[in-house]
Amino acid sequence: MGKPSSRSESSRADQKFEKKLQFYAKVRDTVATLGANKAITKKKRLRSRQKKLKAYDLSTLSEFLPDLKAPKQQPNASNFKVNSKSRQKLLTVEESRMKAVLNHPAFQANPLAAIHEHLQSTQPVLDEKVPRKENRSGKKTKKKKKPKASAGPQSMEI
């Protein structure tokens, strides 16, 4: 059991190095095969998605359906440009609407009731009741009251 020779040390280092290279080669091969498998599954998904899209493609039926004219859409606030011409047009429309409201017999009889009725018919009804949460058995739960903390010091005994 003497001093190891320099020759055995170098061969041992070479063996370790070779083992390390083999390990890296295995890892590289595994990564390559996993990448290939992932690419294959992506292609399969894409093909199945395209098949589904073909199944739901109803464009061939459009030639048998009657042509409908697109309904006139009112300009949205996002694409509505305010310039003097559009502002003038808006003013005339709103002026005529205001005159119609003022001349309406229900508004002349009781303005606040007429406004309230209009809002009731045009606005969605909001239910102010908040539903209670139900537990597993289907019964509604109640909020538990927390016990009041006592003012005196408490000791913990085991």
Side-chain angles (χ1 to χ4, degrees):
M1 300 275 307
K3 194 174 177 186
S5 66
S6 63
R7 188 175 181 188
S8 65
E9 283 182 14
S10 67
S11 66
R12 183 172 265 189
D14 288 340
Q15 288 175 350
K16 282 187 175 182
F17 184 70
E18 287 296 323
K19 204 170 190 181
K20 195 180 278 189
L21 286 178
Q22 289 174 355
F23 173 73
Y24 286 142
K26 277 185 182 178
V27 169
R28 199 175 313 117
D29 292 340
T30 307
V31 168
T33 56
L34 286 176
N37 289 343
K38 193 173 185 182
I40 290 169
T41 56
K42 264 190 180 180
K43 287 179 184 177
K44 283 183 181 178
R45 281 190 203 148
L46 183 63
R47 267 190 249 128
S48 66
R49 193 176 302 147
Q50 287 174 347
K51 285 180 184 177
K52 286 178 186 175
L53 287 176
K54 282 183 181 178
Y56 295 118
D57 186 22
L58 303 176
S59 61
T60 56
L61 297 177
S62 63
E63 65 187 53
F64 299 109
L65 294 173
D67 291 333
L68 297 175
K69 293 181 182 176
K72 232 182 190 181
Q73 294 180 352
Q74 293 180 350
N76 294 340
S78 61
N79 62 5
F80 184 71
K81 292 182 180 178
V82 179
N83 53 24
S84 68
K85 190 175 183 180
S86 62
R87 188 179 298 121
Q88 192 66 32
K89 187 176 181 181
L90 185 65
L91 279 173
T92 56
V93 169
E94 291 298 322
E95 184 181 15
S96 63
R97 187 176 295 154
M98 187 67 175
K99 284 181 183 176
V101 168
L102 291 174
N103 292 333
H104 197 276
F107 184 81
Q108 288 177 348
N110 190 352
L112 291 177
I115 291 171
H116 185 267
E117 183 181 327
H118 170 72
L119 289 175
Q120 290 294 325
S121 65
T122 58
Q123 298 296 316
V125 178
L126 295 175
D127 190 17
E128 293 184 16
K129 232 182 197 181
V130 178
R132 290 186 186 173
K133 293 182 180 178
E134 293 184 2
N135 60 10
R136 290 181 185 164
S137 63
K139 295 180 181 178
K140 294 185 178 179
T141 58
K142 293 181 182 178
K143 287 187 178 178
K144 295 180 181 177
K145 293 182 181 178
K146 293 182 181 177
K148 294 181 181 178
S150 61
Q154 294 179 350
S155 63
M156 289 180 56
E157 295 180 16
I158 300 176

